[in-house]
Amino acid sequence: MTDFALVQTKGGFSAPERFEAEVADCEVQGSIPKDLDGSFFRVGGDWLYPPKFADDAVLNSDGYISAFRFRNGRVSYRGRYVRTRRYERDFAAGRQLYGYYRNPYTDDPSVRDPEHPNLRTLANTSPLIHAGRLFALKEDGLPHHIDPVTLQTLGVWDFGGAWKSQTFTAHPKLDPLTGEMVAFGYEATGLATNDVFIYTVGRDGRVRHEIRTRTPYMTMLHDVAVTHRRFIIPMCGYITSLDILKAGKIHWWWDNSKPAYIGVLARTGDGGDIRWFKGPQRCMMHTFNAYDEGDKVVLYAPFWDGNFFPFFPNTDGTPFDPSRARAFIRRITLDLKSRSDAWTEEILYPFPVVDLGKVDPRVLTLPTRYGFTSFADPKRQFDAARAGSLHGRINNCYGRFDFQTGKFDACFAGPTHSLQECSFVPRPGSREEGDGYLMGVAQNYAQMRSELIIADARDLAAGDVARVILPFRSSAQVHGIWASSQELA
Ligand SMILES: [Fe+2]
């Protein structure tokens, strides 16, 4: 999220875009692989109106969904705001009516409604395709159903009334063996509650199973992991309370006194079997994947040592510590036979990476060899003269990290480029893990434009095979997904 953190900067690459776009036949450098037939969807935030408070979190910007559509070696682009209730109300008023990130007590009286905080969701975090439907997600509300071709907002989706949590995660997990979606909502019964509702949704889009549980203390649950049999809940020191919110403060605070926990429970149970492992302080945001190994669970994740978000203050008043905000790829083992409540942990690579990692979706929930994410290689050339001063930290490489051998391969994006999250696209017809493409958007600071980069995941050192050039800065992405034409049909 490095560059997303610059959304509020005036004139920088991630300054608000404030337009919707269509490019019918994009300029391409290189050669688009002919077997790519589908769409790369991205969701991020773009302020329609400036935030009400200058120190607000960048995560409070309006949801924006975009799509690169691939067909017959050609690519088109489309970008639209998600028409949330909040967007529509702000647009009607011609100004920002809403206050701090996830604090309805700070909203304009005309829209203030703390009993229904999920109605002010922004749908600005991730896209999802399941059961043939496209959604834009944010963890403080329900999914927004989106037309996959026009990107028009069709409405809020509550699974026919079967989804009882007030919220829906931005990181549902799709089981490649069953076609099921395992998803959850936290703050499930209202602001600052520690209720977590977990759902299994069948490949037909209907809710099949519900588990209601609670976390040891009220906290943010941004991402989880799912194995073939189990549901894994990493949680750490981001806290809030109704007192904090009623005092008109920002939603999340980092509490150094709170231990990190990882909960493990069966996907098909009632939650009564949940076991909490307790570890050293960690900031646990995104995961790569997890899988069962008998009575053990192996979890791969790029966790930090401490508070990552500079705009979420420490409760003890200490300043933000960047030395603890570095994500290292870790292998974490949870032994369900052990009498100890500790987990074991190994750092697999000695350098930090971007905490936006993906695996081949065909191995989600299953034993995994490769993780993919962007990172900053300081040994690569950086052309400061051409890139100018309007850049943030440079993430110049996409990496394939081999968890078995400890090796990694990298694709360098160029001396004036910084990379957002990459997604893995399986090569049509292939079966082997890691056989496919990496795809993600780069910021070209020299040209002040966005470029979609496509690389062969098995030969990253060869560089990208194609770039799709947009003649403008596209709205900052948080997460993206690839969907083949068959998935969209
Ligand atoms: Fe995320």
Side-chain angles (χ1 to χ4, degrees), residues 1 125-126 139 170-171 222-223 285-286 355-356 421 478-479:
M1 290 190 208
T125 310
S126 61
E139 65 199 49
H171 288 287
H222 180 65
D223 193 6
M285 201 57 52
H286 294 105
D355 160 65
L356 296 169
E421 177 196 66
V478 182
H479 294 296

Side-chain angles (χ1 to χ4, degrees), residues 17-30:
E17 184 178 286
R18 298 200 78 245
F19 63 84
E20 300 186 322
E22 280 188 46
V23 183
D25 191 2
C26 296
E27 176 190 347
V28 170
Q29 294 177 353

Side-chain angles (χ1 to χ4, degrees), residues 400-419:
R400 180 184 76 163
F401 295 87
D402 186 332
F403 299 151
Q404 279 183 14
T405 65
K407 294 179 179 171
F408 71 97
D409 305 288
C411 171
F412 176 54
T416 63
H417 290 63
S418 186
L419 291 159

Side-chain angles (χ1 to χ4, degrees), residues 155-293:
V156 173
W157 192 259
D158 69 355
F159 298 85
W163 189 273
K164 302 299 183 186
S165 169
Q166 293 185 14
T167 59
F168 185 102
T169 178
H171 288 287
K173 304 298 177 187
L174 303 182
D175 188 323
L177 298 186
T178 65
E180 291 172 327
M181 172 172 67
V182 182
F184 68 100
Y186 75 97
E187 292 191 292
T189 57
L191 282 173
T193 61
N194 66 339
D195 295 303
V196 183
F197 294 179
I198 302 164
Y199 293 91
T200 301
V201 181
R203 60 165 67 231
D204 60 358
R206 293 173 187 268
V207 168
R208 297 284 185 224
H209 185 66
E210 180 195 72
I211 299 171
R212 297 190 177 198
T213 189
R214 289 197 167 102
T215 47
Y217 57 87
M218 193 284 138
T219 187
M220 174 199 296
L221 294 184
H222 180 65
D223 193 6
V224 295
V226 171
T227 73
H228 186 55
R229 293 161 52 197
R230 301 180 175 107
F231 190 85
I232 317 300
I233 308 176
M235 59 170 280
C236 60
Y238 289 113
I239 59 101
T240 193
S241 69
L242 275 183
D243 287 342
I244 287 173
L245 299 175
K246 287 179 178 174
K249 295 178 179 173
I250 222 159
H251 192 103
W252 294 117
W253 295 68
W254 176 262
D255 186 340
N256 271 309
S257 73
K258 295 292 189 193
Y261 288 99
I262 300 179
V264 181
L265 66 157
R267 278 168 54 173
T268 53
D270 63 2
D273 60 323
I274 191 165
R275 177 165 173 186
W276 291 100
F277 291 82
K278 195 172 173 182
Q281 186 184 66
R282 293 284 175 264
C283 180
M284 304 191 285
M285 201 57 52
H286 294 105
T287 63
F288 281 107
N289 197 16
Y291 58 91
D292 301 305
E293 210 171 62

